[in-house]
Amino acid sequence: MSVPRRRRRLPDEVRAAAVRAVLCLSFTLVGVVVATLASYAGSWMLTPALLAMGVGVFGTMWCLLEIVISRQVAAQRMRAPGSAHPMAGGRAPAEPLAARPFPRSNSSVYLDPYQQPQPYQPPQPQRRPPQQPRLPTARP
């Protein structure tokens, strides 16, 4: 007999987005029921119920999109670098700097990835040396 696998717990931001989506969906369904009953009764509540239903549909779509985005962000946070599987694990511990081989590059200018960035220095204008005045020459 196989043991059922436990499901992973969703990250907090995904669970919060799912709760917001359920609340927004329930708000929309209440608006649909009120709009249906108000249309049967011919009541003045039909217009506000339709407006609430429209806002609810927009909010539900927004919350569903938020769930998709927060799941992607959570998966990207858990993804290992260079891995094809989205939940492959965390990053490996960093090696000491001296143990890393210095990478070679085809270009003549190589930027060391471990070097601290330098502040931007605008290029200085180059000044031309003063020119000697030309002397008039005799033309033949």
Side-chain angles (χ1 to χ4, degrees):
M1 187 166 131
S2 66
V3 177
R5 222 170 69 166
R6 280 187 68 191
R7 291 182 61 170
R8 274 199 190 121
R9 180 178 167 162
L10 287 174
D12 290 340
E13 62 267 13
V14 179
R15 283 190 296 121
V19 168
R20 280 191 293 271
V22 168
L23 288 175
C24 208
L25 180 66
S26 64
F27 175 73
T28 304
L29 291 177
V30 167
V32 168
V33 169
V34 170
T36 303
L37 293 176
S39 68
Y40 288 154
S43 174
W44 61 272
M45 288 287 291
L46 179 63
T47 304
L50 286 175
L51 287 174
M53 187 177 63
V55 169
V57 167
F58 178 77
T60 303
M61 291 301 124
W62 185 279
C63 290
L64 292 176
L65 184 63
E66 182 185 9
I67 289 174
V68 170
I69 291 171
S70 60
R71 283 180 60 104
Q72 290 293 323
V73 168
Q76 186 176 8
R77 191 178 302 128
M78 297 287 289
R79 187 175 294 134
S83 171
H85 190 268
M87 298 293 185
R91 296 177 184 240
E95 303 173 22
L97 187 58
R100 294 182 186 163
F102 192 73
R104 300 284 179 206
S105 175
N106 291 337
S107 68
S108 61
V109 177
Y110 179 74
L111 298 176
D112 186 6
Y114 309 111
Q115 183 181 6
Q116 294 295 325
Q118 299 297 321
Y120 175 73
Q121 296 289 334
Q124 300 294 329
Q126 295 181 357
R127 298 183 185 209
R128 293 184 183 171
Q131 299 235 346
Q132 297 292 331
R134 287 191 172 175
L135 297 174
T137 57
R139 295 189 185 171

